[in-house]
Amino acid sequence: MTDLLTYVTWNASPVLFSFGPLAVRWYGLAFAIGFTIGYSIVARMFKHEGAPEKWLGILLIYVVVATVIGARLGHVFFYEWDYYSQHPGDILKIWEGGLASHGGTIAIIIALFLFSRFVSHKPASWVFDKIVVAIALVGGLIRLGNLMNSEIYGGPTDLPWGFIFVRNGETVPAHPTQIYEALCYFALFALLMWMYWKKNAEERPWLITGVFFIGIFVPRFLIEYVKNVQVSSEYQMIQEYGMNLGQMLSIPFIVLGIALVVWAMNHPRVKFSFPNKFAEELPKRFNSKNS
């Protein structure tokens, strides 16, 4: 009984259910749920401001493609280039794992600038200050997917919430860093929603985005201190710099976040206007409630 109070034995299956050779994994489900809810949240924001609904589908494609490709290439180039440079065909084997949030972030930034340039023709801050709210939620759900995969966890701990990851052959409780990050991201999501819906923070371009970068990457930087090294090449980096690669990649985003917050708070509020096309373009099933 004492043991049950001092650690959690974790042996969850990464597969929710399967149909013959096809399997539905918790990680993929977390992605799908996150993007579905995120889409709904951004749609409400578009409707709230009167932006065209047709932009939503285009934006979704931009973000999904950027997330998957960017996160994969981020892992390939930042963490295991020595391996993938010799096995380029394995880069496409995304189902075997290997996604880096920093790579996904960089790719999404590029995608949103392209969306602003070629689709919305509005300042990039307009779409950034909306999409990051949804991304905070998606990030938390993805970390829960990592938990179901028994991956990206921390070093040994004697804290009562330590997890023994049985599937990986572990016998000592470890920090469930996936939960630490998920809780931070969910709290950030709640903060950003409050800023948008209660404080009209979208009228201060880049403020929500700046808070997002700080709220994502400061916890990431700190939690890395108790997280296991993901690839062996990081050991030398830690010895030389006292930080791993994930922490070093987080620093520019933290600095950027602080700079954006300072910039936003020192500039006047701006209210973007759109032709109110969203309501006109909604399917009839949504409008029937008002008829």
Side-chain angles (χ1 to χ4, degrees), residues 85-291:
S85 63
Q86 302 300 317
H87 305 84
D90 289 351
I91 294 176
L92 299 177
K93 297 179 180 179
I94 196 170
W95 57 88
E96 293 183 355
L99 298 173
S101 58
H102 296 89
T105 301
I106 294 171
I108 290 173
I109 289 173
I110 295 172
L112 293 183
F113 273 110
L114 292 175
F115 175 86
S116 300
R117 174 68 176 82
F118 296 107
V119 180
S120 71
H121 304 291
K122 295 288 182 180
S125 60
W126 181 81
V127 68
F128 269 90
D129 286 340
K130 293 168 181 56
I131 203 68
V132 296
V133 179
I135 292 174
L137 174 65
V138 174
L141 291 171
I142 288 174
R143 282 297 178 250
L144 295 183
N146 294 138
L147 177 65
M148 300 305 295
N149 284 348
S150 295
E151 61 188 3
I152 316 181
Y153 51 88
T157 180
D158 55 3
L159 293 172
W161 55 79
F163 275 49
I164 296 180
F165 292 93
V166 177
R167 289 186 57 250
N168 295 349
E170 302 286 1
T171 58
V172 177
H175 284 284
T177 50
Q178 315 97 321
I179 296 178
Y180 298 169
E181 289 192 57
L183 291 176
C184 290
Y185 300 163
F186 290 144
L188 175 63
F189 167 69
L191 172 63
L192 298 181
M193 287 285 282
W194 176 79
M195 290 175 64
Y196 182 91
W197 292 106
K198 298 298 183 181
K199 294 299 180 179
N200 297 322
E202 77 281 2
E203 294 180 6
R204 289 195 179 276
W206 296 115
L207 178 59
I208 292 176
T209 302
V211 173
F212 167 82
F213 282 133
I214 296 170
I216 285 286
F217 290 103
V218 167
R220 172 69 186 273
F221 182 92
L222 297 175
I223 292 171
E224 287 290 330
Y225 281 114
V226 297
K227 189 184 293 185
N228 282 331
V229 171
Q230 302 303 307
V231 293
S232 58
S233 59
E234 287 191 287
Y235 284 111
Q236 183 177 354
M237 182 175 295
I238 294 173
Q239 291 177 348
E240 293 182 3
Y241 304 104
M243 295 184 292
N244 63 24
L245 183 58
Q247 290 173 309
M248 296 186 71
L249 291 172
S250 295
I251 292 174
F253 291 110
I254 296 171
V255 173
L256 175 60
I258 294 172
L260 290 176
V261 170
V262 171
W263 188 93
M265 296 306 296
N266 284 279
H267 284 76
R269 288 179 176 270
V270 176
K271 191 167 184 178
F272 296 104
S273 61
F274 296 86
N276 190 13
K277 297 180 179 179
F278 192 105
E280 298 173 7
E281 295 175 0
L282 283 174
K284 291 181 179 180
R285 65 176 181 275
F286 290 108
N287 290 326
S288 61
K289 295 181 180 180
N290 300 322
S291 60

Side-chain angles (χ1 to χ4, degrees), residues 45-100:
M45 293 175 173
F46 273 43
K47 183 177 181 181
H48 174 68
E49 297 182 25
E53 183 193 16
K54 62 184 179 182
W55 289 356
L56 280 170
I58 302 172
L59 179 60
L60 178 65
I61 295 172
Y62 273 64
V63 172
V64 171
V65 172
T67 299
V68 175
I69 294 178
R72 181 56 172 173
L73 293 182
H75 178 81
V76 169
F77 290 112
F78 294 153
Y79 290 95
E80 295 193 82
W81 176 242
D82 288 344
Y83 172 81
Y84 287 106
S85 63
Q86 302 300 317
H87 305 84
D90 289 351
I91 294 176
L92 299 177
K93 297 179 180 179
I94 196 170
W95 57 88
E96 293 183 355
L99 298 173

Side-chain angles (χ1 to χ4, degrees), residues 10-55:
W10 188 253
N11 193 28
S13 170
V15 178
L16 176 59
F17 55 84
S18 58
F19 298 100
L22 301 177
V24 175
R25 302 176 68 89
W26 287 105
Y27 188 87
L29 182 63
F31 248 113
I33 292 175
F35 276 108
T36 300
I37 299 176
Y39 182 90
S40 176
I41 291 170
V42 176
R44 286 182 58 202
M45 293 175 173
F46 273 43
K47 183 177 181 181
H48 174 68
E49 297 182 25
E53 183 193 16
K54 62 184 179 182
W55 289 356

